[in-house]
Amino acid sequence: MANHTATFVGRFQCGQGSWRVSTGAEEGAAVIGQLFGRQSPTQAGNEADHFEVLPRSITMRVVISGPESIRAGVLTAAPRYEPKCIRLSFRLADAYALGGFRLSSASWDLAESVPALMAALSGTDGDALCELAAETVEFTTRDGVALSYCRPSIKVIGPWHAPDQHTA
C-alpha cells in the first residue's frame, strides 16, 4: 500500500502550534473538518478549487508507507546554517481512502529525528500507523526577544494492518 503517488489530495502545514490543511477538493476539506473539528473550510485566495481547513486537533493518526515516504534535502548551499527540508507523504488513518497528503518542513527537530523515524518505519515491514503532532515551542533569544514556532513531530505506533481496522 504505497502512499506516495503522483497524486496528492492535500498538504499539511504547521504554524502557530496547529495544523492548516489545504486541498483542491471541497469534499476532502469537509471530511477533514468532520474528523478533526474545524473552523469551516474556506476558499483560499481567488482560487475556486483551493480550500483550507484549520483542524482543532493538534494530533492525528496517519499511515506512512515505510522510510521511502520521507525525503530529506538541504535547503541551501550552507547546510551548517539551514536545516534540511523534510518532505513526508502519508494518508490519514481515519480517512485512508481520501488519498495522499504531503508535509514539508524545515524544522531542525524534525530533521534530527529522521534517522530514528526511518529505523522505526523499517521495523514495521510495510505501512505504519503513526501519530503526527504540531507542538508549539516558545523561547527567548539572547537579546530578550520572545519567539515561538510550530514543531511537527512523528511517532511510529506500529504496523498498519487494514484501513477499516482504525476508523473512527
Side-chain angles (χ1 to χ4, degrees):
M1 283 190 233
N3 53 345
H4 49 94
T5 63
T7 305
F8 288 91
V9 296
R11 192 174 92 177
F12 274 64
Q13 294 175 314
C14 189
Q16 299 303 319
S18 64
W19 293 111
R20 183 175 53 206
V21 183
S22 58
T23 180
E26 185 173 10
E27 58 277 1
V31 168
I32 294 164
Q34 289 170 0
L35 287 172
F36 303 109
R38 72 169 189 271
Q39 295 176 0
S40 297
T42 58
Q43 286 184 305
N46 294 328
E47 300 177 42
D49 65 344
H50 186 81
F51 298 89
E52 284 192 344
V53 179
L54 304 173
R56 288 190 190 111
S57 177
I58 60 169
T59 62
M60 49 197 64
R61 290 188 172 202
V62 299
V63 179
I64 301 175
S65 291
E68 62 276 3
S69 296
I70 301 171
R71 302 273 184 254
V74 177
L75 289 175
T76 69
R80 292 185 321 198
Y81 303 108
E82 296 292 331
K84 292 182 176 184
C85 180
I86 307 303
R87 290 184 180 90
L88 172 68
S89 59
F90 58 90
R91 290 179 181 253
L92 296 173
D94 292 331
Y96 190 88
L98 195 57
F101 287 85
R102 288 187 208 170
L103 168 68
S104 294
S105 175
S107 164
W108 278 104
D109 295 319
L110 183 59
E112 290 173 354
S113 74
V114 165
L117 176 60
M118 291 178 101
L121 290 169
S122 293
T124 63
D125 291 327
D127 291 350
L129 179 63
C130 302
E131 182 177 78
L132 179 64
E135 303 172 47
T136 299
V137 177
E138 297 176 343
F139 64 98
T140 303
T141 66
R142 286 182 244 165
D143 298 333
V145 178
L147 297 175
S148 69
Y149 67 94
C150 183
R151 172 177 55 199
S153 65
I154 304 159
K155 175 182 157 190
V156 176
I157 296 170
W160 171 257
H161 298 291
D164 61 341
Q165 180 179 351
H166 300 285
T167 56

